[in-house]
Amino acid sequence: MVNRSAEILKLDYTTSRAMIDKFDSYILQTMSWSIAACGGVLFLGVTRGSILVTSCAILVALFFDTFAYIFKTFQVDVIEHSVAVEKILNEAADLTSFATDSYQFGVGHAIRPLTFSRLWGTMATPMHSFLHLFFALICLLVIFADVFIFFGAH
C-alpha cells in the first residue's frame, strides 16, 4: 500500500517550492517593468527638458519598489511554510502518522493578509535590501537626468 501521508507532504513541499520560484519570477518581472516605465518617463522628461517630468520617475520607482516588496512579503510566508513541511519530512521516521497540530496542507493558508506592519517588516529586513538598492539606482539615474536638464538648459 502506498504511504499517503508521505505523498501529501511531498506534494505540499513541491508546491511550496514552486510558489517560491513563482514569487521570484514576479519580483524580477516587477523590476523589469520598473526599468521600462522609469525609462519611458525619463525619456519624456529629458526630451521635453522638464525636471518635473523626470522627477516623476522617482514616484514610479517607489510604486514598483513597494509592489516588489508585496510579492517578497508573500514569498516569505511561503518559505516559512516550506521550511515547516521540510522539518516534518526530515524528523518523521515513519510518515504513516505525521499528525501535528500545526500542519495544514497547502500554501493558500500560509500567505497571511498583507498589512502595513508586515510589509514594513519585510522592507526593513537587511536580507531583502537588494530591492532597495535596485530602485535606488533608478532614483540616482533620475537625479542625474535632473542635473543634466538643469545645467544643460542654462
Side-chain angles (χ1 to χ4, degrees):
M1 180 164 181
V2 178
N3 186 345
R4 299 286 298 162
S5 299
E7 284 180 18
I8 290 172
L9 281 172
K10 289 175 184 176
L11 175 66
D12 195 9
Y13 183 74
T14 304
T15 304
S16 298
R17 299 309 298 176
M19 284 295 296
I20 292 168
D21 291 341
K22 191 66 148 172
F23 281 120
D24 272 337
S25 172
Y26 290 157
I27 291 167
L28 289 174
Q29 217 171 356
T30 302
M31 293 167 77
S32 297
W33 275 103
S34 71
I35 291 172
C38 290
V41 172
L42 281 175
F43 176 76
L44 184 65
V46 170
T47 56
R48 292 185 182 208
S50 172
I51 292 175
L52 181 63
V53 174
T54 56
S55 297
C56 286
I58 291 176
L59 295 175
V60 173
L62 288 174
F63 167 77
F64 281 107
D65 184 40
T66 304
F67 204 61
Y69 270 104
I70 289 170
F71 286 132
K72 194 62 165 169
T73 302
F74 292 154
Q75 185 185 42
V76 167
D77 289 340
V78 176
I79 290 170
E80 290 172 0
H81 176 74
S82 174
V83 168
V85 172
E86 186 175 344
K87 185 177 177 183
I88 292 170
L89 281 169
N90 287 333
E91 289 177 353
D94 179 21
L95 289 174
T96 55
S97 60
F98 65 92
T100 83
D101 295 333
S102 62
Y103 176 74
Q104 195 174 7
F105 179 77
V107 296
H109 68 86
I111 300 175
R112 297 171 287 168
L114 184 67
T115 62
F116 182 75
S117 61
R118 287 191 58 235
L119 181 61
W120 187 255
T122 304
M123 291 175 130
T125 304
M127 183 172 49
H128 306 137
S129 63
F130 71 94
L131 289 172
H132 286 312
L133 293 174
F134 175 79
F135 291 104
L137 286 174
I138 292 174
C139 292
L140 189 61
L141 181 63
V142 171
I143 292 169
F144 284 142
D146 285 343
V147 169
F148 173 75
I149 290 170
F150 181 75
F151 287 115
H154 291 99

